[in-house]
Amino acid sequence: MRKYYKILTLICLTISFSSCKKDFLEESSQDLVRPTTTTALNQLLSGEGYALSAESTLNDYLDLLTDDIQSDFNPNSVIVAGLNKYAPVYTWQRNMIDKLIDVAPTYSNTWYNYYARIKGCNVILDYVDQVDGPQTEKDNIRGQALALRSYYYLVLVNLFGKPYVGTAVHPETDLGVPLILTADVSDTPVARSTVKEVYAQIEKDLLTSIPLLDANGNGNHVYKFNGTAAKFLLSRVYLYMGNWDASIKYADAVILRKPALQQYNSITTPLFPISYGVSSPEVIWGYGSSTELTGMPFGLAVGVPAKAAFSISDNFLSTFETGDLRPTYSFKTTAYLTTVIVGYKSGSAKYSTANPTISNGKAFRTAEAYLNRAEAYIQKAIGGDASGVTKALADINLLRSNRIKTANYSPITITEPEALFTYYKAERRRELCMEDHRWFDLRRWGMPEMSHTIQLVAGSPQTVTLSENDSRYTLDVPTEALRRNPNLIQNP
């Protein structure tokens, strides 16, 4: 199990930091290099904690699990190969990750990839008090590592554990993921913590990080966590937990600090990069590699996107109302061989590859803070707080007024809480599509029935259905992880 739960006393390997000045690092053996300053530790966090480069892609398949995507058959051999590569995911096969690992082990081993980043954060936390440097820098680094670790655990527990709330879920006993909170070398296999225990650790880490980052991280780059980003994430965490008041509290804090939304009516180019952290007024934290969104870097031939076999679903596209500008600015045009997949049919995402300066692929955006708050208000209204409807409508209509053509815009006036919740879910889907939300939202909203049709051989389409509350809404732990750690239990 060493690959998953063991890290060298430091993962600041000589190869990784061969360019560091010697006074930053101290050699502790022939094989290990130990950071001795906050400068070196900060560099270590950037390289081993954050994931911005194409080589640090954590997963490349999450949207294929959802109803936002459809498959498109083309007899071209590369398209067929792409269909076969992602078919296990698209058809919700229990061993989908094992099959992806067989094809692309670097980018598809989700379990290992996230734990590798968690290990990087743990090294930082283990050593931050042992290096030289100002206390303010140490506290800033500590806050970033805690917040970043909490983000990775939130993704992991929502992939491999059941939802915190919903039908037939029991967070006190449902298995989540192992909590690895130190980089100490150990051969002791670590068992899976419960969903509730994982969420408790996430909450603890974020509550600890926020004052550290508020006091010391205001100058952090948009690609680094600051206090606002940590509060943003905590608002999402509490939303997933069904703690409406706490979600509202932290969404309020985010909006107070960063209230701006991009007015789509003022955009003059279809290449507006909504997720680009440098230019978008909405981006709170930019993360991930921009190449994740194209589906191209992990294709099966040079210059040919394996994901060209998939596109945004027609059913989803039909939910955008007349005058909604998001289909224009949320997706890009992609050419494949002689076939042009126009506009929103690209199966791509929130920016254009025409802009080579964009480095992040996804982002925490102010728009989600408004949506998180609106959902919490709606849930409070369903629970009997009549004021929740008015407050939720204000947030939803503010967002829509920045997304719909002025000539077509009119505010929605739904007053029945359940009907408003139905509308809200569709609006959240439209706004946050292709940003790793839909799968997690479907899980916490009751795991509805969903079908995918795929054609691997011309003339032989097959439809696979994920039934309501299907156990496959929780992914299997990869076989390699189970083999290396006998204390891991597979999902039923």
Side-chain angles (χ1 to χ4, degrees):
M1 62 165 278
R2 296 184 176 210
K3 185 176 181 183
Y4 289 86
Y5 301 118
K6 171 188 164 185
I7 194 167
L8 295 174
T9 306
L10 296 177
I11 54 178
C12 181
L13 301 176
T14 307
I15 295 176
S16 301
F17 279 87
S18 59
S19 61
C20 294
K21 293 183 179 179
K22 188 167 184 178
D23 58 339
F24 286 174
L25 306 171
E26 175 184 90
E27 293 188 19
S28 56
S29 76
Q30 267 190 323
D31 301 316
L32 303 179
V33 180
R34 184 184 304 272
T36 62
T37 69
T38 53
T39 300
L41 209 58
N42 204 8
Q43 292 176 346
L44 180 60
L45 178 61
S46 296
E48 304 293 347
Y50 288 98
L52 271 172
S53 68
E55 291 75 20
S56 60
T57 296
L58 302 178
N59 77 72
D60 68 344
Y61 60 81
L62 194 55
D63 286 307
L64 293 175
L65 295 167
T66 77
D67 51 356
D68 287 351
I69 302 297
Q70 67 186 26
S71 66
D72 301 308
F73 180 77
N74 183 309
N76 179 276
S77 61
V78 176
I79 291 288
V80 172
L83 281 168
N84 279 281
K85 172 183 177 180
Y86 289 106
V89 176
Y90 191 67
T91 57
W92 306 292
Q93 295 177 28
R94 295 221 63 100
N95 60 346
M96 65 177 74
I97 297 180
D98 290 340
K99 290 188 174 181
L100 281 178
I101 289 172
D102 288 342
V103 177
T106 301
Y107 304 110
S108 301
N109 194 341
T110 311
W111 183 276
Y112 173 72
N113 289 345
Y114 278 99
Y115 272 110
R117 296 291 157 180
I118 287 169
K119 291 173 185 178
C121 295
N122 286 341
V123 169
I124 301 300
L125 295 168
D126 285 356
Y127 279 83
V128 68
D129 288 326
Q130 302 180 33
V131 299
D132 296 327
Q135 188 61 43
T136 55
E137 292 183 13
K138 294 181 181 181
D139 288 344
N140 186 8
I141 293 170
R142 190 196 316 274
Q144 290 181 61
L146 286 167
L148 196 55
R149 184 174 73 179
S150 69
Y151 170 70
Y152 294 142
Y153 272 123
L154 184 65
V155 175
L156 280 170
V157 77
N158 278 280
L159 288 172
F160 300 105
K162 288 186 178 181
Y164 197 94
V165 297
T167 305
V169 299
H170 308 282
E172 299 86 358
T173 55
D174 291 336
L175 292 179
V177 293
L179 284 171
I180 313 296
L181 304 176
T182 178
D184 288 345
V185 175
S186 173
D187 288 323
T188 303
V190 180
R192 296 172 67 178
S193 297
T194 66
V195 170
K196 185 175 182 178
E197 289 169 338
V198 176
Y199 269 86
Q201 185 64 49
I202 292 168
E203 179 185 27
K204 178 183 177 182
D205 282 354
L206 286 171
L207 290 173
T208 303
S209 73
I210 286 170
L212 295 172
L213 293 172
D214 276 346
N216 306 285
N218 289 330
N220 290 353
H221 193 276
V222 72
Y223 296 141
K224 296 290 185 75
F225 257 94
N226 59 24
T228 302
K231 293 169 190 172
F232 177 101
L233 182 55
L234 194 52
S235 173
R236 184 190 295 178
V237 169
Y238 284 134
L239 192 74
Y240 285 12
M241 295 174 70
N243 188 337
W244 315 127
D245 288 331
S247 183
I248 290 168
K249 172 184 174 181
Y250 285 97
D252 283 344
V254 171
I255 292 167
L256 180 65
R257 179 80 178 185
K258 197 173 178 69
L261 292 168
Q262 173 65 45
Q263 175 50 263
Y264 279 24
N265 282 281
S266 67
I267 299 174
T268 58
T269 170
L271 303 183
F272 177 74
I274 188 63
S275 292
Y276 184 28
V278 174
S279 66
S280 173
E282 299 186 18
V283 171
I284 296 166
W285 174 51
Y287 67 96
S289 168
S290 60
T291 55
E292 291 178 52
L293 302 177
T294 64
M296 293 183 185
F298 320 126
L300 300 158
V302 176
V304 179
K307 288 182 186 172
F310 300 90
S311 65
I312 308 301
S313 75
D314 293 328
N315 177 269
F316 173 39
L317 292 171
S318 70
T319 70
F320 288 88
E321 64 186 278
T322 301
D324 195 324
L325 293 165
R326 282 172 291 198
T328 300
Y329 300 125
S330 291
F331 311 116
K332 74 177 183 67
T333 299
T334 298
Y336 174 69
L337 298 180
T338 59
T339 302
V340 176
I341 307 172
V342 296
Y344 44 67
K345 295 287 290 183
S346 68
S348 187
K350 297 272 179 174
Y351 74 106
S352 168
T353 50
N355 187 341
T357 64
I358 299 172
S359 55
N360 66 292
K362 298 170 186 175
F364 288 2
R365 295 193 292 114
T366 304
E368 186 194 335
Y370 284 106
L371 288 167
N372 290 351
R373 188 168 71 175
E375 182 174 344
Y377 278 137
I378 293 170
Q379 292 293 347
K380 286 173 68 67
I382 291 172
D385 182 354
S387 68
V389 167
T390 301
K391 294 174 181 176
L393 282 172
D395 284 340
I396 294 170
N397 282 323
L398 175 64
L399 178 61
R400 292 179 64 252
S401 69
N402 283 273
R403 301 298 190 250
I404 312 296
K405 287 182 180 179
T406 303
N408 298 103
Y409 173 76
S410 61
I412 59 168
T413 58
I414 302 169
T415 57
E416 199 282 314
E418 290 286 0
L420 183 58
F421 187 42
T422 298
Y423 182 90
Y424 162 84
K425 289 188 285 186
E427 182 65 12
R428 183 179 177 93
R429 181 188 186 189
R430 287 186 287 266
E431 177 62 31
L432 301 179
C433 58
M434 308 301 291
E435 294 185 45
D436 291 350
H437 289 276
R438 182 63 175 170
W439 180 246
F440 298 155
D441 286 343
L442 289 170
R443 283 164 37 90
R444 64 189 182 86
W445 288 338
M447 295 181 279
E449 182 178 298
M450 180 168 39
S451 294
H452 280 166
T453 298
I454 189 169
Q455 186 172 192
L456 299 175
V457 178
S460 301
Q462 57 178 310
T463 298
V464 179
T465 298
L466 191 68
S467 57
E468 185 176 2
N469 296 317
D470 200 302
S471 64
R472 289 173 294 172
Y473 266 105
T474 303
L475 304 188
D476 272 11
V477 176
T479 299
E480 183 181 358
L482 295 170
R483 178 175 59 81
R484 292 176 178 275
N485 182 355
N487 277 355
L488 288 181
I489 298 174
Q490 183 59 281
N491 288 318

